[in-house]
Amino acid sequence: MSTKAERTTAFIIETVAPIFSRQGYVGTSMSDLTEATGLTKGALYGNFENKDALALSAFQYNSTKLLNALDEVLAEDGTAMEKLKRLTSFYKKYDLFTMSIGGCPVLNVGVDAQHNHRVLGAATRETARIIEGKIALVLEEGVNKGEMKLPVPPLQFAKQLYTMIMGAIAMATIMGDRKYLYNTMSYLDVLIQKEIKK
């Protein structure tokens, strides 16, 4: 059973995570956070040392949600090709998944933190590396089982694949048009079948 303090901390993180993701670290004021949570500045600082600690906890909350969702997608039984198909299907509807958390944590926080917050920037890069690693493991499994042939090492291919996915997320976000996600993932499905399936 969690304590009242633990429940309050969890409530604060869940409430402010989408705000930081949407508005960025600099764009989010303490008054935004007190208004959203209904708590005083003192109450927020009673649970978190400062705005930096709160922003980092908020990012970790959102990135954990994303990583857990990807684990679910990739952990299901099936061939590596089937797992890649589930991955692109997940990203076709990525805007719907990220709606409740204020958008893509890797894109939003990564770009915002680039020149504003070294620690948040490092955290987003680490999350991106973890995602690339998850994709690389699927590719490596596919190669080892003779399902696919890769023109480059699995991690390198995973990085290129994730770069295309992130490009689609960026364009869908900038243009406010989810077709960028859907069309790019459909193209990746064709590319994967054509380029790497044995």
Side-chain angles (χ1 to χ4, degrees):
M1 189 76 165
S2 60
T3 66
K4 185 180 178 193
E6 288 169 337
R7 288 194 299 275
T8 302
T9 299
F11 163 75
I12 292 169
I13 293 170
E14 287 171 29
T15 306
V16 306
I19 298 169
F20 273 115
S21 190
R22 269 193 306 273
Q23 297 177 195
Y25 176 79
V26 173
T28 301
S29 67
M30 285 309 292
S31 60
D32 291 330
L33 304 179
T34 56
E35 188 180 323
T37 59
L39 298 171
T40 64
K41 197 172 176 180
L44 290 176
Y45 284 143
N47 287 273
F48 296 91
E49 185 184 344
N50 51 34
K51 183 181 170 185
D52 287 14
L54 184 49
L56 188 58
S57 293
F59 171 74
Q60 288 167 338
Y61 174 79
N62 280 347
S63 67
T64 298
K65 274 191 127 171
L66 171 57
L67 293 173
N68 288 345
L70 287 171
D71 282 341
E72 277 184 36
V73 166
L74 298 176
E76 284 182 49
D77 288 338
T79 66
M81 294 300 285
E82 288 166 344
K83 290 180 182 187
L84 290 174
K85 177 70 175 159
R86 285 199 300 268
L87 181 73
T88 56
S89 294
F90 170 77
Y91 277 109
K92 275 181 184 176
K93 298 175 183 174
Y94 188 64
D95 58 325
L96 302 177
F97 170 78
T98 59
M99 201 176 288
S100 67
I101 59 173
C104 175
V106 177
L107 176 68
N108 290 7
V109 179
V111 171
D112 175 67
Q114 193 67 33
H115 302 289
N116 298 318
H117 203 291
R118 197 169 40 83
V119 175
L120 273 175
T124 55
R125 285 190 293 277
E126 180 58 24
T127 299
R129 284 188 197 102
I130 290 169
I131 294 170
E132 289 170 348
K134 289 178 187 298
I135 298 169
L137 283 174
V138 172
L139 293 167
E140 190 173 353
E141 177 187 301
V143 169
N144 291 342
K145 290 184 176 176
E147 293 173 36
M148 59 179 66
K149 58 180 187 339
L150 296 178
V152 293
L155 183 57
Q156 189 178 338
F157 196 90
K159 286 180 177 186
Q160 288 307 122
L161 192 61
Y162 189 55
T163 297
M164 288 187 266
I165 290 170
M166 287 305 295
I169 293 167
M171 286 304 292
T173 302
I174 292 164
M175 303 303 284
D177 186 350
R178 66 191 319 263
K179 286 199 285 291
Y180 283 94
L181 283 173
Y182 189 88
N183 292 343
T184 303
M185 296 313 119
S186 296
Y187 171 71
L188 285 179
D189 286 338
V190 172
L191 193 69
I192 287 166
Q193 287 289 327
K194 186 179 168 188
E195 296 294 322
I196 68 174
K197 187 177 180 187
K198 268 196 167 177

